[in-house]
Short mmCIF file of all heavy atoms in Angstrom, two decimals:
data_model
loop_
_atom_site.label_atom_id
_atom_site.label_comp_id
_atom_site.label_asym_id
_atom_site.label_seq_id
_atom_site.Cartn_x
_atom_site.Cartn_y
_atom_site.Cartn_z
N PRO A 879 -10.48 35.70 -1.96
CA PRO A 879 -11.62 36.28 -2.63
C PRO A 879 -12.85 36.44 -1.71
O PRO A 879 -13.80 35.72 -1.79
CB PRO A 879 -11.91 35.25 -3.75
CG PRO A 879 -11.46 33.95 -3.20
CD PRO A 879 -10.33 34.26 -2.23
N LEU A 880 -12.72 37.44 -0.87
CA LEU A 880 -13.86 37.74 0.04
C LEU A 880 -14.81 38.65 -0.70
O LEU A 880 -14.42 39.31 -1.66
CB LEU A 880 -13.32 38.40 1.31
CG LEU A 880 -12.35 37.53 2.11
CD1 LEU A 880 -11.58 38.34 3.11
CD2 LEU A 880 -13.08 36.37 2.78
N GLU A 881 -16.05 38.71 -0.31
CA GLU A 881 -17.05 39.46 -1.08
C GLU A 881 -17.12 40.92 -0.57
O GLU A 881 -16.46 41.76 -1.13
CB GLU A 881 -18.40 38.74 -0.97
CG GLU A 881 -18.42 37.37 -1.63
CD GLU A 881 -18.20 37.43 -3.17
OE1 GLU A 881 -18.87 38.28 -3.78
OE2 GLU A 881 -17.40 36.66 -3.71
N ARG A 882 -17.88 41.18 0.48
CA ARG A 882 -17.99 42.55 1.01
C ARG A 882 -17.72 42.51 2.51
O ARG A 882 -18.07 41.53 3.20
CB ARG A 882 -19.40 43.09 0.80
CG ARG A 882 -19.70 43.39 -0.66
CD ARG A 882 -21.20 43.69 -0.86
NE ARG A 882 -21.48 43.98 -2.24
CZ ARG A 882 -21.47 45.20 -2.79
NH1 ARG A 882 -21.21 46.24 -2.03
NH2 ARG A 882 -21.72 45.37 -4.06
N HIS A 883 -17.10 43.60 3.03
CA HIS A 883 -16.98 43.65 4.48
C HIS A 883 -18.31 44.15 5.06
O HIS A 883 -18.88 45.12 4.52
CB HIS A 883 -15.77 44.50 4.92
CG HIS A 883 -15.86 45.94 4.54
ND1 HIS A 883 -15.50 46.42 3.30
CD2 HIS A 883 -16.26 47.01 5.24
CE1 HIS A 883 -15.69 47.70 3.26
NE2 HIS A 883 -16.13 48.09 4.44
N VAL A 884 -18.76 43.53 6.10
CA VAL A 884 -20.11 43.82 6.64
C VAL A 884 -20.06 45.07 7.52
O VAL A 884 -19.35 45.11 8.54
CB VAL A 884 -20.66 42.61 7.43
CG1 VAL A 884 -22.01 42.97 8.02
CG2 VAL A 884 -20.78 41.40 6.54
N THR A 885 -20.81 46.05 7.07
CA THR A 885 -20.86 47.32 7.86
C THR A 885 -22.25 47.51 8.50
O THR A 885 -22.44 48.31 9.36
CB THR A 885 -20.62 48.54 6.96
OG1 THR A 885 -21.59 48.55 5.91
CG2 THR A 885 -19.24 48.54 6.37
N LYS A 886 -23.22 46.73 7.97
CA LYS A 886 -24.56 46.92 8.46
C LYS A 886 -25.18 45.59 8.92
O LYS A 886 -25.10 44.59 8.19
CB LYS A 886 -25.39 47.45 7.28
CG LYS A 886 -26.75 47.90 7.69
CD LYS A 886 -27.50 48.53 6.49
CE LYS A 886 -27.12 49.99 6.33
NZ LYS A 886 -28.00 50.67 5.41
N GLU A 887 -25.68 45.58 10.11
CA GLU A 887 -26.33 44.38 10.68
C GLU A 887 -27.81 44.69 10.80
O GLU A 887 -28.19 45.71 11.38
CB GLU A 887 -25.79 44.10 12.08
CG GLU A 887 -24.27 43.94 12.16
CD GLU A 887 -23.81 42.56 11.77
OE1 GLU A 887 -24.67 41.65 11.56
OE2 GLU A 887 -22.60 42.36 11.65
N ILE A 888 -28.64 43.79 10.30
CA ILE A 888 -30.10 44.01 10.39
C ILE A 888 -30.73 42.78 10.97
O ILE A 888 -30.45 41.66 10.51
CB ILE A 888 -30.72 44.30 8.99
CG1 ILE A 888 -29.91 45.41 8.24
CG2 ILE A 888 -32.16 44.73 9.12
CD1 ILE A 888 -30.24 45.49 6.78
N LEU A 889 -31.53 42.97 12.00
CA LEU A 889 -32.24 41.88 12.62
C LEU A 889 -33.73 42.13 12.39
O LEU A 889 -34.25 43.14 12.84
CB LEU A 889 -31.93 41.79 14.10
CG LEU A 889 -32.56 40.65 14.88
CD1 LEU A 889 -32.17 39.27 14.31
CD2 LEU A 889 -32.20 40.72 16.34
N THR A 890 -34.40 41.23 11.70
CA THR A 890 -35.81 41.46 11.37
C THR A 890 -36.70 40.44 12.05
O THR A 890 -36.51 39.23 11.91
CB THR A 890 -36.01 41.38 9.82
OG1 THR A 890 -35.24 42.40 9.22
CG2 THR A 890 -37.46 41.55 9.44
N LEU A 891 -37.67 40.98 12.84
CA LEU A 891 -38.65 40.10 13.49
C LEU A 891 -39.87 40.10 12.61
O LEU A 891 -40.49 41.13 12.39
CB LEU A 891 -38.98 40.67 14.87
CG LEU A 891 -37.78 40.90 15.79
CD1 LEU A 891 -38.18 41.60 17.07
CD2 LEU A 891 -37.11 39.57 16.14
N MET A 892 -40.20 38.91 12.13
CA MET A 892 -41.31 38.84 11.13
C MET A 892 -42.58 38.38 11.74
O MET A 892 -42.63 37.27 12.36
CB MET A 892 -40.93 37.88 10.03
CG MET A 892 -40.12 38.52 8.91
SD MET A 892 -40.10 37.51 7.44
CE MET A 892 -39.74 38.76 6.24
N GLY A 893 -43.64 39.13 11.56
CA GLY A 893 -44.97 38.64 11.94
C GLY A 893 -45.69 38.27 10.65
O GLY A 893 -45.11 38.27 9.57
N GLU A 894 -46.98 37.90 10.79
CA GLU A 894 -47.81 37.64 9.60
C GLU A 894 -48.25 39.01 9.13
O GLU A 894 -48.97 39.72 9.86
CB GLU A 894 -49.05 36.81 9.93
CG GLU A 894 -48.77 35.39 10.43
CD GLU A 894 -48.30 34.48 9.31
OE1 GLU A 894 -48.29 34.86 8.15
OE2 GLU A 894 -47.92 33.35 9.68
N GLY A 895 -47.81 39.44 7.98
CA GLY A 895 -48.28 40.70 7.44
C GLY A 895 -47.57 41.93 7.94
O GLY A 895 -47.90 43.07 7.60
N ASN A 896 -46.57 41.78 8.80
CA ASN A 896 -45.75 42.91 9.24
C ASN A 896 -44.39 42.41 9.70
O ASN A 896 -44.19 41.24 9.93
CB ASN A 896 -46.47 43.74 10.31
CG ASN A 896 -46.88 42.92 11.52
OD1 ASN A 896 -46.42 41.76 11.69
ND2 ASN A 896 -47.74 43.45 12.38
#
Side-chain angles (χ1 to χ4, degrees):
L880 299 165
E881 295 294 315
R882 290 170 180 269
H883 63 277
V884 176
T885 58
K886 189 176 277 192
E887 304 278 352
I888 311 166
L889 182 61
T890 298
L891 305 174
M892 274 197 158
E894 297 287 353
N896 55 14

